[in-house]
Each structure stands twice: as structure tokens, then as C-alpha cells.
Amino acid sequence: MKIELATKQDLIDFKEEILQALKKNEDPPFGEKLMDREQVCQYLNITPSTFYKYRDRLPIYKICGKWQAKKSEIDKFITKNRIL
């Protein structure tokens, strides 16, 4: 088994690739596309004020100054909590 170690520059390049994809609202180079705050509100049928009220409970992340969420994590949250 051969193990390849990532260099610091490899990690910096990967980070930049992810940030550029997020800024363009494109699919990141891995996983599923992220929803922004407006899309989460629309998906959950809630107002922005309700979003902010529950933001500490929701599986959301602040990336590049914008709230982002994976639809699959929102679905799991709804199934588990049923508070909204």
C-alpha cells in the first residue's frame, strides 16, 4: 500500500478550488451542492427571521460570510427533530 502525503501547497490549492466553487454557487469538487440561506428558507417554508431564530440548531455552516447547508443534513434534522 502506497501512502501519498499532501503538501501544504496541495491543501491551499484544494481550499481555493472549494472557495471558488462556493462563491460561484457551483457544485464543490466533492459531495453534494450546498443550499444558501434563501434556499433553506424556501425548502423549509420558513421566514428569514425563523431561520435566524433556529440557526444554532440547524445543520448550517457560515462559509465565506454566507450561510450554507446540505439538503441531506437538513432532511436528517427534520426527521430527527420535527420542530419546524
Side-chain angles (χ1 to χ4, degrees):
M1 176 191 284
K2 183 180 178 183
I3 299 175
E4 243 181 84
L5 298 176
T7 66
K8 183 176 180 179
Q9 188 59 46
D10 291 336
L11 296 174
I12 291 169
D13 293 343
F14 183 65
K15 175 186 164 190
E16 286 302 314
E17 187 178 342
I18 293 169
L19 291 175
Q20 290 302 318
L22 291 172
K23 287 178 183 177
K24 294 177 184 176
N25 199 24
E26 297 174 346
D27 289 334
F30 59 88
E32 66 185 280
K33 185 175 181 176
L34 298 174
M35 298 189 304
D36 62 19
R37 180 186 55 86
E38 291 82 14
Q39 292 168 324
V40 172
C41 289
Q42 184 176 14
Y43 183 67
L44 296 175
N45 195 28
I46 60 174
T47 63
S49 62
T50 302
F51 174 89
Y52 287 114
K53 179 179 178 182
Y54 289 102
R55 73 175 180 249
D56 293 335
R57 293 180 174 182
L58 292 170
I60 56 175
Y61 312 96
K62 198 160 194 180
I63 303 171
C64 297
K66 296 182 179 183
W67 290 106
Q68 305 281 326
K70 290 183 178 180
K71 182 180 177 292
S72 61
E73 290 181 2
I74 296 290
D75 290 338
K76 287 177 190 175
F77 173 79
I78 292 169
T79 301
K80 183 178 177 184
N81 295 287
R82 298 279 183 202
I83 64 163
L84 298 175

